[in-house]
Amino acid sequence: MPELPEVETVMRGLTPVWEGQRFTRVIANRPDLRRPLPEALGQRLTGAIVTRLDRRAKYGLVETDRGDTLIIHLGMSGRMRVDPETLEKHDHVVFETGNGRVVAFNDARRFGSLDLVATGEATAHPLLANIGPEPLGPDYGLPLLKRIFADRLAPAKAILLDQRLIAGLGNIYVCEALYRAGIHPETPGGVVSAAQLKRLAPAIPQVLAEAIAAGGSTLRDHAAPDGTLGYFQKDFAVYGREGQACVACATPVARIVQSGRSSFLCPQCQPRDKT
């Protein structure tokens, strides 16, 4: 599933195409994706001018001059295809704008969603209501990490994946950040040392910024709106590298399973008791 860097890449790619432009036609080729599409989606968006594009956690936000915000969730396989030569079977919603551009929301597995809500009520939408601070925002920092890790029995990885505590982090970038900080992903939050948290605080935004600069990570479906594939996966230190040499110490990277999901780590660089 696309994580924060992938969604940020998509929204940055859409900004020069949509910002300041009027939707001249919006066509829904099916009534639902993961959930039913908003009632009268095409009617509500046709004629509206896009005033701002943003991202919150793993969701894209498109504000219009009609006081509505389109919430985009890419799901497992969602893509925004800009100016496709031909429309495909899974181009479920097609947006046309006054500058002659066409954007197709393509989602083969239909795990994505589109929601249209009043802008003033967007933060209260069920998808956004209980999300924690942005790791690239002003409320993020060492004090936040100290607060969300303090006295917790939950593993470090689970804490960082909890969207109620910190927004937008997923399996890939949590594995990479924990590696950089030298924290074993199974270490209980309350056991993580002050020194480890001090390393983790900059590691999270650094790995996210590097991934955004690389266009995200393309493991299966992700691509920027212009079709460009992300390449941060070439710089993974541990994720998906089970059995390969650690880039720092040459110890084979290990894989463990936590709550049904794979975690990757270097046993030498990330022992439980490393401080």
Side-chain angles (χ1 to χ4, degrees), residues 150-174:
D151 301 323
R152 289 184 181 269
L153 297 177
K157 182 182 177 186
I159 292 171
L160 294 178
L161 289 177
D162 190 335
Q163 300 298 294
R164 298 168 300 178
L165 301 177
I166 186 168
L169 298 181
N171 201 30
I172 293 173
Y173 301 107
V174 167

Side-chain angles (χ1 to χ4, degrees), residues 118-189:
T119 298
E121 301 172 3
T123 56
H125 188 278
L127 292 177
L128 306 177
N130 297 308
I131 295 178
E134 289 283 330
L136 297 178
D139 295 328
Y140 172 80
L142 182 57
L144 171 67
L145 293 185
K146 287 181 177 179
R147 185 167 65 251
I148 67 176
F149 273 76
D151 301 323
R152 289 184 181 269
L153 297 177
K157 182 182 177 186
I159 292 171
L160 294 178
L161 289 177
D162 190 335
Q163 300 298 294
R164 298 168 300 178
L165 301 177
I166 186 168
L169 298 181
N171 201 30
I172 293 173
Y173 301 107
V174 167
C175 285
E176 292 294 308
L178 288 173
Y179 168 77
R180 294 187 183 196
I183 301 171
H184 192 288
E186 291 182 322
T187 304

